[in-house]
Amino acid sequence: MKYSVVVVDDHTLLSQAIEGMVNTFDKFKVLYTCKNGKELSEKFLGSPKNIPDIVLVDVNMPVMNGIETTQWVVENYPQVHVMALSVEDADGTILKMLKAGAVGYLLKDTQKEVLEKALVELMENGFYHTKEVTNLLLESVSGKNGKSNIEFKENELTFMRLACSELTYKEIAEKMFLSPKTIDGYRDSLFTKLDVRNRVGLVMYAIKNKIYTP
């Protein structure tokens, strides 16, 4: 069984090229392509069969751009992994996409092998970042509103450290002898405290503030 991918890009030729490339990967197959976020949202709402595992989204698009599209997908379909695939390499744009909830950011001139590796790691680990993007995140994450003096409960710190591992949330719950619902509560509370939208942001905060040391 192959993982499903949707490509969202207003440039038809590029979209077709990306589709053709992804379809050569052993573990992935493009479900369909869209020209913008509005078209994607309509497909999602049209049928559950249209919900993919991964959305590859461009940043600059008319009607509904990549940032808006990412926010909409993350808020309404959090199980879907969103990865940016763009020509935009400005730090500010990358950070906006990541803050919107994207769990990966690649440039369109990325080699085929790197894209395939990124998709595999995305499904295995929940995110994929190049060294450049990781460094950018580490430089930017210092706590909500730039503050690092946020107070945490002991269980929140334990959860944060475990979240930096490859354990699933369910496995973290078992390790902490707590219910999955309680773990979800810790996760949501930390997301709010730190002003992050996903596990990647949580991990970056923990590393930046030496709560977790790789």
Side-chain angles (χ1 to χ4, degrees), residues 6-20:
V6 167
V7 180
V8 187
D9 196 312
D10 62 314
H11 294 94
T12 304
L13 289 178
L14 277 174
S15 182
Q16 291 175 343
I18 295 168
E19 178 182 9

Side-chain angles (χ1 to χ4, degrees), residues 5-210:
V5 178
V6 167
V7 180
V8 187
D9 196 312
D10 62 314
H11 294 94
T12 304
L13 289 178
L14 277 174
S15 182
Q16 291 175 343
I18 295 168
E19 178 182 9
M21 186 186 302
V22 172
N23 282 338
T24 66
F25 299 160
D26 293 338
K27 297 182 178 181
F28 302 91
K29 181 176 180 59
V30 172
L31 200 56
Y32 56 86
T33 63
C34 293
K35 293 184 178 180
N36 53 61
K38 184 175 184 296
E39 189 175 322
L40 177 72
S41 66
E42 291 171 349
K43 292 285 286 186
F44 271 34
L45 295 171
S47 171
K49 293 182 179 180
N50 291 334
I51 312 301
D53 297 302
I54 297 173
V55 171
L56 293 178
V57 62
D58 190 14
V59 175
N60 293 321
M61 299 181 293
V63 185
M64 189 172 172
N65 64 33
I67 295 170
E68 295 167 335
T69 300
T70 300
Q71 289 174 332
W72 185 85
V73 173
V74 170
E75 289 173 4
N76 294 281
Y77 300 89
Q79 77 277 18
V80 178
H81 303 294
V82 181
M83 174 176 281
L85 192 58
S86 175
V87 296
E88 288 284 336
D89 61 356
D91 289 355
T93 300
I94 295 173
L95 286 172
K96 285 179 181 177
M97 280 296 291
L98 297 175
K99 188 173 182 180
V103 290
Y105 198 107
L106 287 175
L107 296 179
K108 285 183 177 177
D109 62 357
T110 296
Q111 294 182 346
K112 177 180 177 180
E113 295 76 15
V114 175
L115 176 58
E116 184 173 16
K117 177 186 177 184
L119 295 180
V120 170
E121 290 197 15
L122 197 60
M123 293 309 303
E124 290 181 349
N125 303 325
F127 64 91
Y128 174 83
H129 290 311
T130 61
K131 289 182 179 179
E132 291 77 13
V133 171
T134 298
N135 289 336
L136 179 62
L137 279 168
L138 288 172
E139 290 171 5
S140 68
V141 178
S142 60
K144 192 172 183 179
N145 298 324
K147 297 178 181 179
S148 57
N149 59 343
I150 301 172
E151 293 185 4
F152 300 103
K153 298 176 182 177
E154 188 59 37
N155 272 356
E156 286 180 330
L157 290 171
T158 301
F159 167 78
M160 205 184 307
R161 294 185 186 104
L162 291 173
C164 294
S165 70
E166 295 183 359
L167 294 174
T168 65
Y169 287 133
K170 182 180 179 181
E171 290 170 337
I172 291 174
E174 292 173 353
K175 198 171 186 65
M176 291 182 68
F177 301 104
L178 296 170
S179 69
K181 187 175 181 180
T182 300
I183 290 301
D184 288 344
Y186 287 144
R187 178 198 62 202
D188 295 342
S189 174
L190 287 169
F191 281 4
T192 300
K193 281 184 179 181
L194 305 179
D195 193 23
V196 298
R197 298 177 66 89
N198 53 45
R199 188 167 177 171
V200 176
L202 188 65
V203 171
M204 291 304 168
Y205 178 90
I207 294 173
K208 174 71 176 180
N209 291 279
K210 296 181 171 56

